[in-house]
Amino acid sequence: MKDEYQLLRIPGPTPIPPSVQQAMMKPMIGHRDHTTKALLKRIKPSLRHIFGTKEDVMIVAGSGTAGLEAAVVNTISPGDEVLVIVTGSFGERFAKICESYNMNVHRYEYDWGKAFLPEEIKSYLKKHPSIKAVFATYCETSTGVLNPVRELASVVREVSDALIIVDGVSAIGATPMMMDDWGIDICVTGSQKALMLPPGLTFIAVSQKAWNRIEKNHHSRFYLDLRRYRTNLIEDSTPFTPALSLLFGLEQSLNLLKLEGLENVYNRHQMMKKMTRAAFKALGIPLLTNDTDASPTVTAIQPRDFNPDQFRNIVKEEFGLILAGGQNHLKGKIFRIGHLGYCTPQDVLQTISCIEIGIQRIGKNIPLGDGVRAAQELYIKEG
């Protein structure tokens, strides 16, 4: 029994609801069949709602990184100037994608664990008027930071005609995204995060301004050519074979989000963030981010007096609890707890309880129950 039990609390892939798993077990259908067209037609309105856009959202069989690369290759040409805001590992990934296509990349880097400051970006753009796109990460998964992309879009619009392109992979579906109202041009997410699916789908929403840029861009692309997806989606189809089983699951996950109500979904994630942070404050274990910058989907913890990776091994062995480690220069220095998607406050209470025992096991003396009590009190007060 112990060998088969797993408590997955990483920021993706995330647990999958049973009803979504059942939906993905439906018999295979023809991808050019009218049944697939009807499925895509049913899915489209819900995706638009989650992204906060009137535009159809492209569905591409691929990881979230495929969506990020599609955003780059469809809008920018080699030699073009772009600004990439780096607040962690996934901002760094955006920069590497742009560099791989020989773009002139300006990196604006922040200390990992801090959100970017829109006014600083505004000042930088004034000094570099040739920049054609600004790339930003909504939730920086590697640090547990939620960046102010709404405010970023506002200041960019004041001083530049650059496109605003956002990695929303560990944010969309768990925290608000009003793409049209905020003035964001391209937003990308993946299936394995708040949308409660296995990895394998990326979703890309594009503004009219960005479409105009895409139509004029002569950069070579084939599978990731968003023009193909747009043309086919008008006819409720895809240019290439879709991941049909994932689409079955997607429809059900979208139904679950609709049934709960997006505002309630967002409030649940805020509650889980606050409970998690309250627990570690009560235990006297430092958090990587401050309360203002903290993401509702993942919390990064930076212990001073025990080894995070040894601790993660202990709770995995004893409880089947899987936590994420640090990335790049934070490897071995932090651990991260994912609380997004198919996750509830009661899951947080279970996770904190296991963590307290794990901390004791590694040799740090803490009063058992203080973290759980703080999370409980937060829930009672605000829930």
Side-chain angles (χ1 to χ4, degrees), residues 21-33:
Q21 290 180 326
Q22 292 169 6
M24 290 189 296
M25 294 173 63
K26 290 179 180 179
M28 191 50 56
I29 58 177
H31 68 290
R32 300 302 180 205
D33 189 83

Side-chain angles (χ1 to χ4, degrees), residues 1 24 39 74 132 159 176 198 203 270 273 286 336 352 369:
M1 178 68 175
M24 290 189 296
L39 174 62
N74 279 270
K132 292 190 175 182
V159 297
F203 307 92
Q270 285 291 332
K273 174 191 79 172
R336 295 172 295 143
I352 298 301

